[in-house]
Structures are given as C-alpha cells and as structure tokens.
Amino acid sequence: MFHSAPKLTLISKPVFTEPAHLPVHWLGESSDGERLAEFAGRLCYMSQRNPANRQTREYLENIKRQGHGSVLEHANYSVLAEGISRSLTHELVRHRAGWGYSQLSQRYVDESEAHFVIPPAILDDPALEKSWKSQMETAQKVYVELVEQLMERYSWVADKVHRRKMAREAARGVLPNSTETKIVMTGNARAWRTMLELRSSEGAELEIRRFAVAALRLMQEEAPGFFSDFEIYTADDRREAARIAYHKV
Ligand SMILES: Cc1cc2nc3c(=O)[nH]c(=O)nc-3n(C[C@H](O)[C@H](O)[C@H](O)COP(=O)(O)OP(=O)(O)OC[C@H]3O[C@@H](n4cnc5c(N)ncnc54)[C@H](O)[C@@H]3O)c2cc1C
C-alpha cells in the first residue's frame, strides 16, 4: 500500500485542575492546556486576579510576544503519526529538547507487507510514480526472501523470537527510506513551536514540511493560544508552508 499524506491523531492533552486556594479570574474561551500555562505564568507574579482583564488567549499572545517560552513548557501534547516515512522520522527525532518518541521497531515487526510513502515531489506524476513503485516492490520482495534465508541460516538458534529478530534486523537493510512508519511523539507547547517553525518553513524537506503544516493545523485547533501566531500560506513552489510571528531562538 502507498501513502500520499500523513495521518495525525492527537492522543493526549493536558487536564488542568485548578487549586481551590489559588483561583484565577478566567476570561474568554480556552482549553485545559492553555489555562495550565496561564495559571503557571500568573503564579510568577501572583496575578490570579487578572488585573488587566485579559482573556486566556490574549494573555498567551503576550507571553509569546515577550518570549517567555518556559511558561509554555507545562502543556504537553502527544500525537500518533502514521503514513510517514522513515526518512521523515529520521529528521523528526533530531528535535530533542522537550520531546519524547516511541517508534515502530523494524527489528521486531515484520515488514513483509510494509507500506511506502510516495515522496511529494513524485506524487501525481504517473511516470515517476511507476518507476518509484517498481523499486519499492523489488525492495520488499528481496526483504521477504532475505528473512526466509536468514531464518534458515540461523535455524540453530533455539529461541524463535530471537531468530526472527536477527533475520529482520539484517533484512531491513534493503528497505528504502520511503518505508512507512508509525511514531508517537510527545512534546510540550514550546518544543512543538520550535519544531513546527523549522519544519513547516520553505527550507524544510517536502514531506516533513507537509507533515508539519498538518500538525500545525491540528495544534492550532486544539490550543490556538499557543500556535495562533503561525500563518499557513502557499509558497512560490506551490506548496503549503508556514511562518511564525514570534520567533524564539
Ligand atoms: C531545513 C533543515 C535542514 C537540516 N539539515 C541537516 C543536515 O544536513 N544534517 C544534519 O545533521 N542535521 C540537519 N538538520 C537538523 C538540525 O541540525 C537540528 O538537528 C534540528 O533542526 C533540531 O534542532 P535543535 O538541535 O535546535 O533541536 P533540539 O534538540 O530540540 O534543541 C532545541 C534548542 O535547545 C537548545 N539545546 C538543545 N540541546 C542542546 C545542547 N546539547 N547544548 C546546548 N543547547 C541545546 C538549543 O537552543 C536548541 O536550538 C536540518 C534541519 C533543518 C530544519
């Protein structure tokens, strides 16, 4: 099977429990994650009274403008990402600060029926797709043959789970970068902002850029107070990209 777009599912978000002895004068619409960050920010100055009468999302706008990124670190979001390639996750996991990852293991999981992700630059060009798909099919066929041969070669290994792992970890060497993978990624709102800024920009590789724009939409819907300063636009290369208003180094 071939994938032509990522599938992203938000699987975890903050649940905020306001301490009864420090109530905040909340204003405006907000999610638990946004209220958690506002609560943490207000604690610094004990300004729970909300003297400026700011709505939560106005308050967070000011936090972003001033670059008080640490306040955003309290809110963590987990996303299950599927329909993305191993080359994409190779780049994704370079984002370390504030991130946790768990990715499908090619040593344990049988890839005989692996899926592949069509690189965006190849997508919708019949000739390019044909040539690319034939390479994927060949690689998969060789993978299956290698696993069988390796299972034979190491038939003396009594533990079958271990033998399979030995076979798969060697055979995966012929699987291409385009092999589909799945990853659970958890990051705090500050870490998400940094990753999304870098990977949704025009300089990013096309597949991770498409992924970052999709992730940005998901996060903007969940917690606009953290991501409202990103603007999605169509770049000169006719693909979507995003830019950020409040860049933080
Ligand atoms: C368009 C693009 C092209 C790229 N090309 C390449 C490439 O060709 N080759 C390649 O290897 N990588 C490449 N990268 C990856 C890049 O070098 C970074 O690894 C990646 O963007 C993650 O950034 P980061 O290290 O700032 O992220 P994080 O690890 O999440 O760090 C975030 C921030 O935390 C701070 N920080 C984190 N760790 C430390 C530390 N140990 N010491 C001090 N401060 C720290 C820094 O301020 C850092 O910016 C590319 C990235 C992009 C966006």
mmCIF file of all heavy atoms in Angstrom, residues 6-7 24 30 32 54 67 70 84 90 94 96 168 172 177 191 210 233-234 241:
data_model
loop_
_atom_site.group_PDB
_atom_site.id
_atom_site.type_symbol
_atom_site.label_atom_id
_atom_site.label_comp_id
_atom_site.label_asym_id
_atom_site.label_seq_id
_atom_site.Cartn_x
_atom_site.Cartn_y
_atom_site.Cartn_z
ATOM 1 N N PRO A 6 0.123 12.238 5.455
ATOM 2 C CA PRO A 6 0.256 11.720 6.823
ATOM 3 C C PRO A 6 -1.104 11.621 7.499
ATOM 4 O O PRO A 6 -2.036 12.347 7.144
ATOM 5 C CB PRO A 6 1.119 12.778 7.516
ATOM 6 C CG PRO A 6 0.826 14.048 6.789
ATOM 7 C CD PRO A 6 0.531 13.656 5.359
ATOM 8 N N LYS A 7 -1.183 10.716 8.469
ATOM 9 C CA LYS A 7 -2.392 10.640 9.295
ATOM 10 C C LYS A 7 -1.982 10.974 10.721
ATOM 11 O O LYS A 7 -1.156 10.253 11.320
ATOM 12 C CB LYS A 7 -2.975 9.231 9.206
ATOM 13 C CG LYS A 7 -4.257 9.085 9.996
ATOM 14 C CD LYS A 7 -4.844 7.700 9.851
ATOM 15 C CE LYS A 7 -6.050 7.554 10.767
ATOM 16 N NZ LYS A 7 -6.375 6.174 11.019
ATOM 17 N N VAL A 24 -8.065 31.575 39.608
ATOM 18 C CA VAL A 24 -7.738 32.643 38.645
ATOM 19 C C VAL A 24 -9.045 33.213 38.108
ATOM 20 O O VAL A 24 -10.030 32.493 37.934
ATOM 21 C CB VAL A 24 -6.887 32.060 37.486
ATOM 22 C CG1 VAL A 24 -6.755 33.060 36.338
ATOM 23 C CG2 VAL A 24 -5.505 31.662 37.985
ATOM 24 N N SER A 30 -10.979 28.870 26.251
ATOM 25 C CA SER A 30 -9.629 28.290 26.359
ATOM 26 C C SER A 30 -9.729 26.784 26.589
ATOM 27 O O SER A 30 -10.765 26.283 27.004
ATOM 28 C CB SER A 30 -8.852 28.925 27.516
ATOM 29 O OG SER A 30 -9.556 28.745 28.720
ATOM 30 N N ASP A 32 -7.771 23.253 28.422
ATOM 31 C CA ASP A 32 -7.059 22.974 29.681
ATOM 32 C C ASP A 32 -5.569 23.324 29.571
ATOM 33 O O ASP A 32 -4.977 23.872 30.501
ATOM 34 C CB ASP A 32 -7.196 21.485 30.035
ATOM 35 C CG ASP A 32 -8.444 21.227 30.865
ATOM 36 O OD1 ASP A 32 -9.359 22.069 30.851
ATOM 37 O OD2 ASP A 32 -8.494 20.172 31.533
ATOM 38 N N ARG A 54 -7.409 40.243 30.977
ATOM 39 C CA ARG A 54 -7.015 39.594 29.713
ATOM 40 C C ARG A 54 -7.718 38.252 29.563
ATOM 41 O O ARG A 54 -7.790 37.459 30.514
ATOM 42 C CB ARG A 54 -5.517 39.335 29.699
ATOM 43 C CG ARG A 54 -4.706 40.567 29.399
ATOM 44 C CD ARG A 54 -3.386 40.166 28.723
ATOM 45 N NE ARG A 54 -2.671 41.353 28.289
ATOM 46 C CZ ARG A 54 -1.592 41.825 28.908
ATOM 47 N NH1 ARG A 54 -1.099 41.216 29.951
ATOM 48 N NH2 ARG A 54 -1.002 42.908 28.439
ATOM 49 N N GLY A 67 8.406 36.342 24.552
ATOM 50 C CA GLY A 67 9.373 35.234 24.528
ATOM 51 C C GLY A 67 9.527 34.511 25.842
ATOM 52 O O GLY A 67 10.590 33.940 26.118
ATOM 53 N N SER A 70 9.232 29.513 28.711
ATOM 54 C CA SER A 70 9.189 28.468 29.755
ATOM 55 C C SER A 70 7.760 28.229 30.246
ATOM 56 O O SER A 70 7.419 27.128 30.672
ATOM 57 C CB SER A 70 10.121 28.816 30.915
ATOM 58 O OG SER A 70 9.739 30.043 31.480
ATOM 59 N N ILE A 84 3.815 8.146 7.452
ATOM 60 C CA ILE A 84 5.008 8.967 7.242
ATOM 61 C C ILE A 84 6.201 8.034 7.024
ATOM 62 O O ILE A 84 6.179 6.881 7.438
ATOM 63 C CB ILE A 84 5.276 9.924 8.430
ATOM 64 C CG1 ILE A 84 5.373 9.127 9.744
ATOM 65 C CG2 ILE A 84 4.189 10.977 8.527
ATOM 66 C CD1 ILE A 84 5.777 9.969 10.932
ATOM 67 N N HIS A 90 13.542 10.169 10.675
ATOM 68 C CA HIS A 90 14.981 10.355 10.913
ATOM 69 C C HIS A 90 15.276 11.839 11.186
ATOM 70 O O HIS A 90 16.116 12.175 12.039
ATOM 71 C CB HIS A 90 15.770 9.870 9.693
ATOM 72 C CG HIS A 90 17.237 9.991 9.817
ATOM 73 N ND1 HIS A 90 18.007 9.076 10.507
ATOM 74 C CD2 HIS A 90 18.101 10.933 9.370
ATOM 75 C CE1 HIS A 90 19.273 9.460 10.472
ATOM 76 N NE2 HIS A 90 19.360 10.578 9.791
ATOM 77 N N ARG A 94 15.488 14.416 15.521
ATOM 78 C CA ARG A 94 16.601 15.320 15.851
ATOM 79 C C ARG A 94 16.138 16.405 16.825
ATOM 80 O O ARG A 94 16.955 17.060 17.471
ATOM 81 C CB ARG A 94 17.167 15.966 14.578
ATOM 82 C CG ARG A 94 17.833 14.999 13.635
ATOM 83 C CD ARG A 94 19.085 14.374 14.235
ATOM 84 N NE ARG A 94 20.091 15.347 14.583
ATOM 85 C CZ ARG A 94 20.967 15.889 13.725
ATOM 86 N NH1 ARG A 94 20.959 15.505 12.473
ATOM 87 N NH2 ARG A 94 21.849 16.778 14.123
ATOM 88 N N ARG A 96 15.126 17.365 20.091
ATOM 89 C CA ARG A 96 15.341 16.653 21.355
ATOM 90 C C ARG A 96 14.719 17.365 22.546
ATOM 91 O O ARG A 96 14.007 16.757 23.340
ATOM 92 C CB ARG A 96 16.855 16.503 21.604
ATOM 93 C CG ARG A 96 17.599 15.788 20.499
ATOM 94 C CD ARG A 96 19.086 16.095 20.530
ATOM 95 N NE ARG A 96 19.353 17.490 20.166
ATOM 96 C CZ ARG A 96 20.519 18.094 20.268
ATOM 97 N NH1 ARG A 96 21.549 17.429 20.741
ATOM 98 N NH2 ARG A 96 20.669 19.361 19.913
ATOM 99 N N ARG A 168 15.151 -10.174 10.743
ATOM 100 C CA ARG A 168 14.532 -8.895 10.339
ATOM 101 C C ARG A 168 15.505 -7.729 10.435
ATOM 102 O O ARG A 168 15.486 -6.830 9.597
ATOM 103 C CB ARG A 168 13.296 -8.626 11.209
ATOM 104 C CG ARG A 168 12.155 -9.558 10.881
ATOM 105 C CD ARG A 168 11.022 -9.423 11.872
ATOM 106 N NE ARG A 168 9.966 -10.386 11.593
ATOM 107 C CZ ARG A 168 9.011 -10.718 12.449
ATOM 108 N NH1 ARG A 168 8.963 -10.158 13.633
ATOM 109 N NH2 ARG A 168 8.094 -11.604 12.111
ATOM 110 N N ARG A 172 16.198 -5.744 6.939
ATOM 111 C CA ARG A 172 15.665 -4.383 6.789
ATOM 112 C C ARG A 172 16.647 -3.456 6.080
ATOM 113 O O ARG A 172 16.275 -2.376 5.644
ATOM 114 C CB ARG A 172 15.275 -3.795 8.137
ATOM 115 C CG ARG A 172 16.458 -3.446 9.018
ATOM 116 C CD ARG A 172 16.032 -2.657 10.219
ATOM 117 N NE ARG A 172 17.103 -2.573 11.190
ATOM 118 C CZ ARG A 172 17.040 -1.828 12.291
ATOM 119 N NH1 ARG A 172 15.958 -1.137 12.545
ATOM 120 N NH2 ARG A 172 18.048 -1.791 13.124
ATOM 121 N N ASN A 177 14.210 4.351 2.368
ATOM 122 C CA ASN A 177 13.844 5.473 3.233
ATOM 123 C C ASN A 177 12.345 5.750 3.206
ATOM 124 O O ASN A 177 11.795 6.295 4.155
ATOM 125 C CB ASN A 177 14.544 6.757 2.746
ATOM 126 C CG ASN A 177 15.871 6.986 3.432
ATOM 127 O OD1 ASN A 177 16.150 6.415 4.473
ATOM 128 N ND2 ASN A 177 16.700 7.824 2.834
ATOM 129 N N ALA A 191 8.289 23.197 22.711
ATOM 130 C CA ALA A 191 9.020 22.306 21.797
ATOM 131 C C ALA A 191 8.263 22.156 20.473
ATOM 132 O O ALA A 191 8.870 22.152 19.398
ATOM 133 C CB ALA A 191 9.220 20.944 22.462
ATOM 134 N N ARG A 210 5.073 19.063 4.730
ATOM 135 C CA ARG A 210 3.640 18.731 4.637
ATOM 136 C C ARG A 210 3.137 18.209 5.993
ATOM 137 O O ARG A 210 2.054 18.567 6.451
ATOM 138 C CB ARG A 210 3.467 17.658 3.556
ATOM 139 C CG ARG A 210 2.051 17.191 3.353
ATOM 140 C CD ARG A 210 1.958 16.175 2.233
ATOM 141 N NE ARG A 210 2.636 14.919 2.568
ATOM 142 C CZ ARG A 210 2.768 13.887 1.736
ATOM 143 N NH1 ARG A 210 2.304 13.977 0.507
ATOM 144 N NH2 ARG A 210 3.380 12.787 2.113
ATOM 145 N N TYR A 233 0.563 29.467 4.439
ATOM 146 C CA TYR A 233 0.400 30.133 3.135
ATOM 147 C C TYR A 233 0.913 29.198 2.033
ATOM 148 O O TYR A 233 1.579 28.194 2.315
ATOM 149 C CB TYR A 233 1.180 31.460 3.105
ATOM 150 C CG TYR A 233 2.674 31.280 3.231
ATOM 151 C CD1 TYR A 233 3.505 31.289 2.096
ATOM 152 C CD2 TYR A 233 3.277 31.063 4.470
ATOM 153 C CE1 TYR A 233 4.874 31.094 2.205
ATOM 154 C CE2 TYR A 233 4.646 30.864 4.584
ATOM 155 C CZ TYR A 233 5.436 30.887 3.458
ATOM 156 O OH TYR A 233 6.784 30.679 3.569
ATOM 157 N N THR A 234 0.580 29.549 0.802
ATOM 158 C CA THR A 234 1.106 28.781 -0.328
ATOM 159 C C THR A 234 2.355 29.484 -0.850
ATOM 160 O O THR A 234 2.304 30.660 -1.216
ATOM 161 C CB THR A 234 0.046 28.655 -1.448
ATOM 162 O OG1 THR A 234 -1.108 28.032 -0.879
ATOM 163 C CG2 THR A 234 0.552 27.807 -2.601
ATOM 164 N N ALA A 241 3.363 26.170 3.237
ATOM 165 C CA ALA A 241 4.434 26.368 4.225
ATOM 166 C C ALA A 241 3.813 27.210 5.336
ATOM 167 O O ALA A 241 2.647 27.620 5.243
ATOM 168 C CB ALA A 241 5.615 27.090 3.592
#
